[in-house]
Amino acid sequence: ICGTEELDMDALKENARYEGGYESLPTSTDEVRTSIRAVPRHDNVEAGAGAASTSAESTSIDASAPSTAQSGQGVGLEDDGGNERMILVWFWRILDRMNFEDKQKFLFFTTGCARAPIGGLRNVRLTVQRPGGDTERLPTAHTCFDTLLLPEYHTEEKLERKLRLAISNAEGFGLC
């Protein structure tokens, strides 16, 4: 059997493409922190003025705080797409946490083979597509095109649960 058992997920991430709404989204927490913008809360309305005024405190948000950017909660933040900003961060974080066997299952699920091609995962061009919003459906894959259809789940826990369920039950064609 050709290929290697070495699974360098960083190389896979480096060459990944994103489509269907995921094209320009950040793939790391640092990128999320720099792309999030604070939205003024209009909770200090002056009586009779008919216009909202905001205080400096309501527009100043620390995007590096664990309760906002890192957890993906987005409390008090607008990120031009809700959880879209965090879904890819969660996805790569989940893959990083997987043990070797689960990484092989993921590779099998997305490419049809549990082994990396000769030259390693840098030779795989994984495409992650958004098939829609939050759903109870599992992620799916088109193995001939190395394409993962990853719904926009609302939480990292749900994404991990659905992804693990999908990769644990992949049958494939039995070619590798």
Side-chain angles (χ1 to χ4, degrees):
I1 294 179
C2 294
T4 177
E5 289 190 7
E6 181 183 330
L7 300 180
D8 181 4
M9 291 298 171
D10 289 333
L12 184 65
K13 179 180 178 180
E14 192 175 300
N15 288 324
R17 292 185 327 195
Y18 307 97
E19 298 176 354
Y22 290 148
E23 292 93 348
S24 62
L25 296 180
T27 58
S28 73
T29 305
D30 290 337
E31 289 179 59
V32 171
R33 283 190 200 120
T34 59
S35 67
I36 292 176
R37 61 184 170 85
V39 176
R41 289 184 227 144
H42 300 287
D43 48 8
N44 296 337
V45 178
E46 294 179 21
S53 65
T54 60
S55 65
E57 295 83 27
S58 66
T59 58
S60 173
I61 296 174
D62 180 7
S64 65
S67 64
T68 58
Q70 290 178 354
S71 70
Q73 300 286 327
V75 178
L77 299 176
E78 178 179 288
D79 57 14
D80 299 330
N83 289 335
E84 259 183 25
R85 290 276 178 216
M86 290 302 296
I87 191 82
L88 297 177
V89 174
W90 295 338
F91 169 68
W92 291 110
R93 192 175 353 191
I94 290 165
L95 280 182
D96 285 342
R97 286 194 306 253
M98 286 183 179
N99 62 30
F100 180 76
E101 182 179 312
D102 287 343
K103 287 177 182 178
Q104 282 185 310
K105 287 179 184 178
F106 172 78
L107 190 61
F108 179 76
F109 178 72
T110 55
T111 68
C113 189
R115 298 172 65 93
I118 294 175
L121 290 180
R122 70 176 179 270
N123 291 328
V124 174
R125 182 70 180 224
L126 178 68
T127 300
V128 181
Q129 292 182 346
R130 179 183 174 267
D134 195 12
T135 180
E136 291 305 312
R137 299 179 86 179
L138 296 175
T140 54
H142 300 293
T143 56
C144 292
F145 303 103
D146 300 336
T147 300
L148 173 66
L149 301 177
L150 186 66
E152 188 183 320
Y153 298 114
H154 285 265
T155 65
E156 183 175 1
E157 293 77 24
K158 184 175 184 179
L159 170 59
E160 183 166 12
R161 186 177 68 250
K162 297 288 187 179
L163 184 61
R164 287 185 182 275
L165 185 60
I167 67 172
S168 295
N169 290 290
E171 287 293 322
F173 298 106
L175 300 175
C176 282

Short mmCIF file of all heavy atoms in Angstrom, two decimals, residues 13 18 22 25-33 35-36 68-72 83-97 128 150 155-156 159:
data_model
loop_
_atom_site.label_atom_id
_atom_site.label_comp_id
_atom_site.label_asym_id
_atom_site.label_seq_id
_atom_site.Cartn_x
_atom_site.Cartn_y
_atom_site.Cartn_z
N LYS A 13 -4.02 21.63 7.13
CA LYS A 13 -4.65 22.93 7.38
C LYS A 13 -4.08 24.01 6.47
O LYS A 13 -4.81 24.85 5.93
CB LYS A 13 -4.46 23.32 8.84
CG LYS A 13 -5.05 24.64 9.22
CD LYS A 13 -4.79 24.93 10.69
CE LYS A 13 -5.31 26.27 11.11
NZ LYS A 13 -5.06 26.53 12.53
N TYR A 18 -11.56 26.81 1.50
CA TYR A 18 -12.84 27.00 2.16
C TYR A 18 -13.81 27.60 1.17
O TYR A 18 -13.49 28.55 0.47
CB TYR A 18 -12.68 27.90 3.39
CG TYR A 18 -11.60 27.38 4.31
CD1 TYR A 18 -10.32 27.88 4.25
CD2 TYR A 18 -11.87 26.35 5.20
CE1 TYR A 18 -9.31 27.38 5.07
CE2 TYR A 18 -10.87 25.84 6.01
CZ TYR A 18 -9.60 26.36 5.95
OH TYR A 18 -8.62 25.86 6.74
N TYR A 22 -17.44 29.84 3.85
CA TYR A 22 -16.27 29.74 4.72
C TYR A 22 -15.02 30.34 4.06
O TYR A 22 -13.94 30.26 4.61
CB TYR A 22 -15.97 28.28 5.06
CG TYR A 22 -16.97 27.61 5.99
CD1 TYR A 22 -17.23 26.26 5.88
CD2 TYR A 22 -17.64 28.33 6.97
CE1 TYR A 22 -18.13 25.63 6.73
CE2 TYR A 22 -18.54 27.70 7.82
CZ TYR A 22 -18.77 26.35 7.69
OH TYR A 22 -19.66 25.73 8.53
N LEU A 25 -12.99 33.18 6.15
CA LEU A 25 -13.08 33.12 7.61
C LEU A 25 -11.75 32.75 8.23
O LEU A 25 -10.95 32.02 7.64
CB LEU A 25 -14.14 32.10 8.02
CG LEU A 25 -15.55 32.45 7.59
CD1 LEU A 25 -16.51 31.37 8.06
CD2 LEU A 25 -15.97 33.79 8.13
N PRO A 26 -11.50 33.24 9.44
CA PRO A 26 -10.26 32.91 10.13
C PRO A 26 -10.25 31.44 10.55
O PRO A 26 -11.29 30.85 10.78
CB PRO A 26 -10.28 33.82 11.36
CG PRO A 26 -11.69 34.26 11.52
CD PRO A 26 -12.35 34.16 10.18
N THR A 27 -9.05 30.87 10.62
CA THR A 27 -8.90 29.49 11.02
C THR A 27 -8.15 29.35 12.34
O THR A 27 -7.86 28.24 12.76
CB THR A 27 -8.17 28.67 9.93
OG1 THR A 27 -6.91 29.28 9.69
CG2 THR A 27 -8.99 28.62 8.66
N SER A 28 -7.83 30.48 12.97
CA SER A 28 -7.17 30.43 14.27
C SER A 28 -7.82 31.45 15.20
O SER A 28 -8.43 32.41 14.74
CB SER A 28 -5.68 30.74 14.15
OG SER A 28 -5.49 32.11 13.89
N THR A 29 -7.70 31.22 16.49
CA THR A 29 -8.27 32.12 17.48
C THR A 29 -7.67 33.51 17.35
O THR A 29 -8.36 34.51 17.49
CB THR A 29 -8.04 31.57 18.90
OG1 THR A 29 -8.58 30.25 18.95
CG2 THR A 29 -8.75 32.42 19.94
N ASP A 30 -6.38 33.61 17.03
CA ASP A 30 -5.74 34.92 16.85
C ASP A 30 -6.39 35.69 15.71
O ASP A 30 -6.61 36.89 15.81
CB ASP A 30 -4.24 34.77 16.60
CG ASP A 30 -3.50 34.30 17.84
OD1 ASP A 30 -4.02 34.49 18.96
OD2 ASP A 30 -2.40 33.74 17.67
N GLU A 31 -6.69 35.01 14.62
CA GLU A 31 -7.35 35.67 13.49
C GLU A 31 -8.75 36.14 13.87
O GLU A 31 -9.19 37.19 13.44
CB GLU A 31 -7.43 34.73 12.29
CG GLU A 31 -6.10 34.46 11.64
CD GLU A 31 -6.26 33.50 10.47
OE1 GLU A 31 -7.01 33.83 9.54
OE2 GLU A 31 -5.64 32.43 10.52
N VAL A 32 -9.44 35.36 14.70
CA VAL A 32 -10.78 35.75 15.15
C VAL A 32 -10.68 37.01 15.99
O VAL A 32 -11.44 37.95 15.82
CB VAL A 32 -11.46 34.63 15.95
CG1 VAL A 32 -12.76 35.13 16.59
CG2 VAL A 32 -11.76 33.44 15.04
N ARG A 33 -9.71 37.06 16.89
CA ARG A 33 -9.55 38.23 17.76
C ARG A 33 -9.36 39.51 16.96
O ARG A 33 -9.89 40.54 17.30
CB ARG A 33 -8.35 38.04 18.69
CG ARG A 33 -8.64 37.13 19.83
CD ARG A 33 -7.50 37.18 20.82
NE ARG A 33 -7.55 35.99 21.63
CZ ARG A 33 -6.60 35.10 21.73
NH1 ARG A 33 -5.47 35.25 21.09
NH2 ARG A 33 -6.74 34.03 22.48
N SER A 35 -10.38 40.06 13.87
CA SER A 35 -11.46 40.35 12.93
C SER A 35 -12.76 40.75 13.61
O SER A 35 -13.66 41.26 12.95
CB SER A 35 -11.70 39.15 12.03
OG SER A 35 -12.21 38.08 12.78
N ILE A 36 -12.88 40.50 14.89
CA ILE A 36 -14.11 40.83 15.60
C ILE A 36 -14.15 42.33 15.86
O ILE A 36 -13.16 42.92 16.25
CB ILE A 36 -14.22 40.05 16.92
CG1 ILE A 36 -14.40 38.56 16.63
CG2 ILE A 36 -15.36 40.57 17.78
CD1 ILE A 36 -14.42 37.70 17.85
N THR A 68 -15.41 35.43 25.43
CA THR A 68 -15.93 35.91 24.15
C THR A 68 -15.23 35.23 22.99
O THR A 68 -15.75 34.29 22.43
CB THR A 68 -15.78 37.44 24.05
OG1 THR A 68 -14.41 37.80 24.20
CG2 THR A 68 -16.63 38.15 25.09
N ALA A 69 -14.06 35.66 22.62
CA ALA A 69 -13.43 35.17 21.40
C ALA A 69 -13.03 33.71 21.46
O ALA A 69 -13.24 32.97 20.53
CB ALA A 69 -12.20 36.03 21.07
N GLN A 70 -12.44 33.28 22.57
CA GLN A 70 -11.93 31.92 22.60
C GLN A 70 -13.04 30.89 22.75
O GLN A 70 -12.95 29.82 22.21
CB GLN A 70 -10.92 31.77 23.73
CG GLN A 70 -9.64 32.52 23.43
CD GLN A 70 -8.64 32.44 24.55
OE1 GLN A 70 -8.92 31.91 25.62
NE2 GLN A 70 -7.47 32.97 24.33
N SER A 71 -14.09 31.22 23.48
CA SER A 71 -15.15 30.25 23.65
C SER A 71 -16.10 30.24 22.48
O SER A 71 -16.86 29.31 22.30
CB SER A 71 -15.94 30.56 24.93
OG SER A 71 -16.69 31.74 24.74
N GLY A 72 -16.09 31.32 21.69
CA GLY A 72 -16.97 31.39 20.55
C GLY A 72 -18.35 31.88 20.93
O GLY A 72 -19.24 31.92 20.11
N ASN A 83 -21.61 32.34 14.38
CA ASN A 83 -20.63 31.30 14.67
C ASN A 83 -19.76 30.97 13.48
O ASN A 83 -18.82 30.21 13.60
CB ASN A 83 -21.33 30.05 15.17
CG ASN A 83 -21.88 30.24 16.55
OD1 ASN A 83 -21.40 31.07 17.31
ND2 ASN A 83 -22.91 29.49 16.89
N GLU A 84 -20.07 31.52 12.31
CA GLU A 84 -19.22 31.31 11.14
C GLU A 84 -17.77 31.62 11.47
O GLU A 84 -16.87 30.95 11.00
CB GLU A 84 -19.65 32.24 10.00
CG GLU A 84 -20.46 31.58 8.96
CD GLU A 84 -20.78 32.54 7.83
OE1 GLU A 84 -20.03 33.51 7.62
OE2 GLU A 84 -21.77 32.30 7.17
N ARG A 85 -17.54 32.66 12.26
CA ARG A 85 -16.18 33.05 12.60
C ARG A 85 -15.46 31.97 13.38
O ARG A 85 -14.27 31.80 13.24
CB ARG A 85 -16.18 34.34 13.43
CG ARG A 85 -16.57 35.53 12.66
CD ARG A 85 -15.37 36.07 11.94
NE ARG A 85 -15.77 37.21 11.15
CZ ARG A 85 -15.27 37.50 9.98
NH1 ARG A 85 -14.34 36.77 9.46
NH2 ARG A 85 -15.67 38.55 9.32
N MET A 86 -16.18 31.24 14.22
CA MET A 86 -15.53 30.28 15.09
C MET A 86 -15.54 28.85 14.56
O MET A 86 -14.77 28.03 15.00
CB MET A 86 -16.19 30.30 16.48
CG MET A 86 -15.92 31.56 17.27
SD MET A 86 -14.16 31.91 17.55
CE MET A 86 -13.68 30.53 18.56
N ILE A 87 -16.40 28.53 13.62
CA ILE A 87 -16.57 27.15 13.20
C ILE A 87 -15.27 26.52 12.71
O ILE A 87 -14.95 25.39 13.06
CB ILE A 87 -17.70 27.01 12.14
CG1 ILE A 87 -18.07 25.56 11.91
CG2 ILE A 87 -17.33 27.69 10.84
CD1 ILE A 87 -19.00 24.99 12.90
N LEU A 88 -14.47 27.25 11.95
CA LEU A 88 -13.21 26.69 11.46
C LEU A 88 -12.17 26.60 12.56
O LEU A 88 -11.37 25.66 12.59
CB LEU A 88 -12.68 27.51 10.28
CG LEU A 88 -13.59 27.51 9.05
CD1 LEU A 88 -13.03 28.41 7.97
CD2 LEU A 88 -13.80 26.10 8.53
N VAL A 89 -12.19 27.55 13.48
CA VAL A 89 -11.29 27.48 14.65
C VAL A 89 -11.62 26.23 15.44
O VAL A 89 -10.73 25.46 15.81
CB VAL A 89 -11.42 28.74 15.52
CG1 VAL A 89 -10.59 28.60 16.80
CG2 VAL A 89 -11.01 29.97 14.75
N TRP A 90 -12.91 26.01 15.71
CA TRP A 90 -13.33 24.82 16.44
C TRP A 90 -12.93 23.56 15.70
O TRP A 90 -12.42 22.60 16.30
CB TRP A 90 -14.84 24.80 16.63
CG TRP A 90 -15.40 25.90 17.48
CD1 TRP A 90 -14.74 26.64 18.42
CD2 TRP A 90 -16.74 26.37 17.46
NE1 TRP A 90 -15.61 27.54 18.98
CE2 TRP A 90 -16.83 27.40 18.41
CE3 TRP A 90 -17.87 26.02 16.73
CZ2 TRP A 90 -18.02 28.08 18.66
CZ3 TRP A 90 -19.05 26.70 16.97
CH2 TRP A 90 -19.12 27.72 17.93
N PHE A 91 -13.15 23.54 14.39
CA PHE A 91 -12.86 22.36 13.58
C PHE A 91 -11.39 21.96 13.70
O PHE A 91 -11.07 20.80 13.99
CB PHE A 91 -13.23 22.66 12.12
CG PHE A 91 -12.73 21.63 11.15
CD1 PHE A 91 -13.25 20.35 11.13
CD2 PHE A 91 -11.73 21.94 10.23
CE1 PHE A 91 -12.79 19.40 10.23
CE2 PHE A 91 -11.28 21.01 9.33
CZ PHE A 91 -11.81 19.74 9.32
N TRP A 92 -10.48 22.92 13.51
CA TRP A 92 -9.05 22.59 13.58
C TRP A 92 -8.62 22.28 15.00
O TRP A 92 -7.75 21.43 15.22
CB TRP A 92 -8.20 23.71 12.97
CG TRP A 92 -8.40 23.77 11.48
CD1 TRP A 92 -9.04 24.74 10.78
CD2 TRP A 92 -7.99 22.78 10.52
NE1 TRP A 92 -9.04 24.43 9.44
CE2 TRP A 92 -8.41 23.23 9.25
CE3 TRP A 92 -7.31 21.57 10.61
CZ2 TRP A 92 -8.17 22.51 8.08
CZ3 TRP A 92 -7.07 20.85 9.44
CH2 TRP A 92 -7.49 21.32 8.21
N ARG A 93 -9.23 22.91 15.98
CA ARG A 93 -8.92 22.61 17.39
C ARG A 93 -9.33 21.17 17.72
O ARG A 93 -8.60 20.45 18.40
CB ARG A 93 -9.66 23.61 18.29
CG ARG A 93 -9.19 23.59 19.70
CD ARG A 93 -9.81 24.62 20.60
NE ARG A 93 -10.64 25.61 19.95
CZ ARG A 93 -11.10 26.69 20.53
NH1 ARG A 93 -10.79 26.96 21.77
NH2 ARG A 93 -11.85 27.54 19.89
N ILE A 94 -10.49 20.75 17.23
CA ILE A 94 -10.95 19.37 17.44
C ILE A 94 -10.00 18.39 16.79
O ILE A 94 -9.62 17.38 17.39
CB ILE A 94 -12.39 19.20 16.91
CG1 ILE A 94 -13.37 19.99 17.80
CG2 ILE A 94 -12.78 17.74 16.83
CD1 ILE A 94 -14.74 20.20 17.17
N LEU A 95 -9.59 18.66 15.55
CA LEU A 95 -8.63 17.76 14.88
C LEU A 95 -7.31 17.69 15.64
O LEU A 95 -6.72 16.61 15.74
CB LEU A 95 -8.38 18.21 13.45
CG LEU A 95 -9.43 17.81 12.42
CD1 LEU A 95 -9.02 18.28 11.03
CD2 LEU A 95 -9.67 16.32 12.40
N ASP A 96 -6.85 18.81 16.16
CA ASP A 96 -5.60 18.81 16.93
C ASP A 96 -5.70 17.94 18.18
O ASP A 96 -4.73 17.31 18.58
CB ASP A 96 -5.21 20.23 17.34
CG ASP A 96 -4.64 21.04 16.20
OD1 ASP A 96 -4.23 20.44 15.18
OD2 ASP A 96 -4.62 22.28 16.31
N ARG A 97 -6.87 17.90 18.78
CA ARG A 97 -7.07 17.11 20.01
C ARG A 97 -7.22 15.61 19.74
O ARG A 97 -7.10 14.81 20.65
CB ARG A 97 -8.31 17.59 20.76
CG ARG A 97 -8.14 18.90 21.47
CD ARG A 97 -9.28 19.14 22.46
NE ARG A 97 -10.59 19.05 21.87
CZ ARG A 97 -11.40 20.08 21.63
NH1 ARG A 97 -10.99 21.31 21.90
NH2 ARG A 97 -12.59 19.89 21.12
N VAL A 128 -13.24 22.53 2.54
CA VAL A 128 -14.29 22.55 3.54
C VAL A 128 -15.39 23.45 3.02
O VAL A 128 -15.15 24.63 2.73
CB VAL A 128 -13.78 23.06 4.90
CG1 VAL A 128 -14.88 23.05 5.94
CG2 VAL A 128 -12.59 22.22 5.37
N LEU A 150 -19.30 20.65 6.01
CA LEU A 150 -19.33 20.89 7.46
C LEU A 150 -20.40 21.91 7.81
O LEU A 150 -20.22 23.11 7.57
CB LEU A 150 -17.96 21.39 7.92
CG LEU A 150 -17.73 21.55 9.40
CD1 LEU A 150 -17.76 20.20 10.09
CD2 LEU A 150 -16.39 22.24 9.64
N THR A 155 -22.24 25.21 18.45
CA THR A 155 -21.28 25.06 19.55
C THR A 155 -20.16 24.13 19.14
O THR A 155 -20.33 23.26 18.28
CB THR A 155 -21.94 24.49 20.83
OG1 THR A 155 -22.38 23.15 20.58
CG2 THR A 155 -23.11 25.35 21.31
N GLU A 156 -19.03 24.30 19.78
CA GLU A 156 -17.88 23.43 19.53
C GLU A 156 -18.20 22.00 19.97
O GLU A 156 -17.80 21.05 19.31
CB GLU A 156 -16.66 23.96 20.27
CG GLU A 156 -15.41 23.15 20.02
CD GLU A 156 -14.16 23.74 20.65
OE1 GLU A 156 -14.27 24.79 21.33
OE2 GLU A 156 -13.09 23.16 20.47
N LEU A 159 -20.30 20.33 17.31
CA LEU A 159 -19.44 20.04 16.16
C LEU A 159 -18.59 18.80 16.43
O LEU A 159 -18.52 17.90 15.60
CB LEU A 159 -18.54 21.24 15.83
CG LEU A 159 -17.42 21.01 14.81
CD1 LEU A 159 -17.97 20.57 13.47
CD2 LEU A 159 -16.59 22.27 14.66
#
